[in-house]
Amino acid sequence: MPKYQIAWMPGDGIGKDVMDAARLVLDAMKFDAEYIPCDIGWEFWCNEGNALPDRTVKALQGTTCGLFGAITSKPQDDAKLELAPGLKDKNLVYFSPIVKLRQMFNLHTNMRPCKSYPGNPLNYRGTALANPSGAEIPIDQVVFRENTEGMYGGIEFHPLPESVYTALCANPKMKPWKDKGLENIALSTRIVSIQGCTNICRQAFEFAKKTGRKRVTLVEKPNVLRETGGLMTRIFRKLADEYKADGIWADEANIDAICMWMFKNPQDYSVLVAENMFGDIVSDLCAGLVGGLGFAPSANMGDKYAVFEPTHGSAPKYAGQYKVNPIAMLLTVRMMFDWLGETQQSQQLESAIARVIKEGKVRTYDMGGKASTLDVAKEIAKYAA
Ligand code: NAI
Ligand code: MG
């Protein structure tokens, strides 16, 4: 029996293209695994009314971890319109299967490394005044994003149930909305817990300690989001004290301010930690500094299970064309190797990716080349094998 059972979830659109690239490299590296195909995504919503079928959840439970491409996700009204005729009147509600997976398997920690590889024509070069030489600015950041709570916790209402409305209206600050009327209000909540905040901050500090990084930055907005942002900040500060002895410097930035600082001095940041939505925002910004979504991998990790996915979505306009960059997906495979403790394979794959980027002979369209997704994968496989 192979050493690992990997849940294989290509999903939608370019998810399938980049997962084919991943398989090509995994096979070339003779990775000792069995791949269990799992249904997930838009097609299953349209035909079965469930983007994450029960059989997939069950199959996942028997695997070591999951590898995921991307899914297509649409707002509720559009989703309903695309349901198969027999399902339209069944009051089905669409949910994003990847968000659901994160919650179902308690994959509380989303880790998103953004590293610039020398020679990538898309590497950030800053502004003319800040970086007059125009040389690539070396960037090596890792975002720790809380993955199950906060603004993406999925507690939302429209219209508001009477009970929620009544409870909220006990607060005099609700007057402006009360005047607008129950049926005219939509509500998305930001619920965080001491457990959630403590876990994500600890993961960030532990990672810094393990990898010898010297700075951990909290991305929040506690001056406005006083209760949720305040709780996260207090917990962060407590842990910062604990890790001071390890020589780790902890600082805090507001989400809006860091978007500006990151643009000016990105090389100053190392480990960033944030609640779900702020982590989503800041990690896209970091991805932009190292070449965009074609270079941004991620891991959704729980205590015992993990699902690895590139940060990008299903990019429908490129679906099935094998045009997009597989590097985000291959860096994702590398994260899976790390999680499994396959350090040598991880290093081999990263070196191969770095080499292909540096040589610049085989590049997809986003890097100014004409090569296909699989051409790039084959070139990387050649060096990784
Ligand atoms: P997207 O990430 O799919 O694509 C945006 C653009 O980024 C593409 O048009 C393309 O120009 C570029 N891009 C993305 N991946 C690339 C790659 N590997 N190589 C080169 N260029 C790449 O985001 P978009 O268009 O906002 O969303 C499309 C669909 O994907 C939506 O249905 C959205 O809900 C879903 N989505 C799913 C995610 C997931 O599966 N976790 C994450 C983000 C979006
Ligand atoms: Mg995002």
Side-chain angles (χ1 to χ4, degrees), residues 80-95:
K80 287 196 171 157
L81 284 175
E82 291 191 36
L83 273 174
L87 297 172
K88 279 201 162 64
D89 53 358
K90 292 209 181 331
N91 268 335
L92 295 165
V93 178
Y94 176 79
F95 55 81

Side-chain angles (χ1 to χ4, degrees), residues 45 73 138 142 165 185 229 244 248 256 302 325-326 336-337 361 373 380:
W45 161 253
S73 184
V142 182
Y165 182 74
I185 306 174
K244 224 181 236 162
I248 298 170
D256 47 347
N325 197 336
M336 179 180 81
F337 287 160
K361 289 186 297 200
T373 308
I380 291 171

Side-chain angles (χ1 to χ4, degrees), residues 141-142 144 204-205 207-208 213 215-217 269-273:
Q141 300 165 341
V142 182
F144 282 84
F205 280 111
F207 174 79
R213 290 170 183 259
R215 183 177 184 177
V216 178
T217 307
Y269 294 95
S270 180
V271 179
L272 300 141
V273 59

Side-chain angles (χ1 to χ4, degrees), residues 146 149-151 190-197 220 227-229 231-232 275:
E146 204 295 320
E149 306 190 335
M151 204 66 179
R190 187 186 207 244
I191 309 180
V192 302
S193 69
I194 289 182
Q195 292 91 329
C197 296
E220 248 303 332
E227 300 308 335
T228 48
L231 183 70
M232 179 76 150
E275 166 266 0

Side-chain angles (χ1 to χ4, degrees), residues 162-207:
E162 192 79 49
S163 56
V164 175
Y165 182 74
T166 311
L168 282 174
C169 286
N171 187 329
K173 284 188 196 154
M174 270 298 285
K175 178 148 190 337
W177 288 281
K178 198 173 173 186
D179 294 345
K180 285 173 187 143
L182 179 149
E183 65 289 358
N184 295 320
I185 306 174
L187 173 70
S188 300
T189 64
R190 187 186 207 244
I191 309 180
V192 302
S193 69
I194 289 182
Q195 292 91 329
C197 296
T198 306
N199 173 67
I200 200 65
C201 292
R202 191 171 287 287
Q203 298 276 354
F205 280 111
E206 271 300 308
F207 174 79

Side-chain angles (χ1 to χ4, degrees), residues 291-309:
L293 291 171
F295 297 86
S298 82
N300 303 285
M301 300 178 292
D303 294 337
K304 294 206 180 83
Y305 195 75
V307 173
F308 301 87
E309 53 160 336

